[in-house]
Amino acid sequence: MRKILFFILVCFFSAYHSGLGQAYEISPFSGYTLSHNFGIKEGHAKLSGGPHLGAIGTICLTPYLDLEFTYSFRQALGTAQSTLFSETFSHSTQSQFATLGVSKLFPYNVRFTMFTGANVGVMLFSVRESELQTLTKVAVGGNAGVRYYFNDRLGIRMQVNAFMPILEPSMGLWWYSDPSNPIGVGKSTALIQAGIVSGLIIRLGEL
């Protein structure tokens, strides 16, 4: 998984140094991620909603297409219940996503733009105050939103984000799962972390 993350960073910075972009943008953001419930073997689990922080690096390839590197971080309370558990598991969790994607732009005028995009990358999932190992998984995501520019250098963006790691059936997360009798996510379970964020746009270069 580290190789995937390294590959993502190499691709982004190679595009940056090659001069493919007409302009470059940096967008620190914050927002809120919704809670998410999903099924596990003979039970259910939940990630609580909470604050969401991160940053986006954008290479403006054309007036209608961007290349974006996104890093996001969030903490959430994870709970899990099952008739096969002797107790309810409750832990503070951390999720980090690093993705590379493209965004299709739909300019309304020189100041206002709508967009939608898709990305792929990695998720690092860890449990605080626990001996459980940090999980690193391939993740996919999507976004849609709007941008408004006050001038040629500054603007704001608001968007909906959704990230989904690709999980193996029966794997455990913040709860203990005996390898000989795994209690984990179902075959059709999707762990989706979706929310809304907003942030400042700082543009470098000219369109």
Side-chain angles (χ1 to χ4, degrees):
M1 297 300 173
R2 291 181 179 178
K3 292 181 179 179
I4 296 176
L5 179 58
F6 179 74
F7 178 74
I8 290 172
L9 292 173
V10 167
C11 288
F12 181 80
F13 285 107
S14 293
Y16 174 82
H17 287 292
S18 67
L20 289 177
Q22 297 180 346
Y24 310 96
E25 297 175 352
I26 300 172
S27 304
F29 65 78
S30 63
Y32 187 86
T33 299
L34 303 175
S35 62
H36 179 63
N37 295 276
F38 57 98
I40 62 176
K41 187 176 182 180
E42 297 191 30
H44 66 275
K46 177 182 179 179
L47 279 176
S48 68
H52 184 178
L53 303 172
I56 301 170
T58 302
I59 298 177
C60 306
L61 300 175
T62 75
Y64 304 99
L65 190 67
D66 285 348
L67 178 69
E68 294 194 327
F69 172 77
T70 301
Y71 171 80
S72 67
F73 170 85
R74 69 163 300 213
Q75 293 182 328
L77 178 64
T79 57
Q81 295 178 314
S82 171
T83 58
L84 303 177
F85 291 154
S86 60
E87 61 179 312
T88 297
F89 286 87
S90 179
H91 289 286
S92 177
T93 68
Q94 294 182 343
S95 300
Q96 299 179 71
F97 289 89
T99 62
L100 184 67
V102 294
S103 289
K104 175 64 176 177
L105 309 182
F106 303 93
Y108 180 75
N109 54 39
V110 295
R111 299 299 185 199
F112 183 79
T113 299
M114 296 178 288
F115 64 90
T116 183
N119 39 55
V120 63
V122 295
M123 178 196 76
L124 279 71
F125 184 88
S126 60
V127 181
R128 299 179 63 185
E129 301 176 356
S130 173
E131 296 180 355
L132 296 174
Q133 293 182 343
T134 298
L135 298 176
T136 306
K137 297 294 177 183
V138 174
V140 295
N143 59 70
V146 297
R147 304 176 193 170
Y148 181 81
Y149 296 90
F150 303 113
N151 52 48
D152 292 339
R153 296 299 181 189
L154 292 176
I156 57 173
R157 65 189 291 161
M158 179 176 291
Q159 66 187 67
V160 175
N161 284 341
F163 296 104
M164 184 181 71
I166 299 175
L167 305 176
E168 296 86 352
S170 298
M171 73 172 294
L173 292 173
W174 60 87
W175 60 88
Y176 174 75
S177 183
D178 188 341
S180 63
N181 184 27
I183 303 172
V185 298
K187 293 183 179 180
S188 59
T189 296
L191 176 57
I192 301 174
Q193 300 195 39
I196 185 168
V197 301
S198 61
L200 183 69
I201 300 173
I202 304 171
R203 175 177 287 171
L204 308 172
E206 300 291 343
L207 282 175

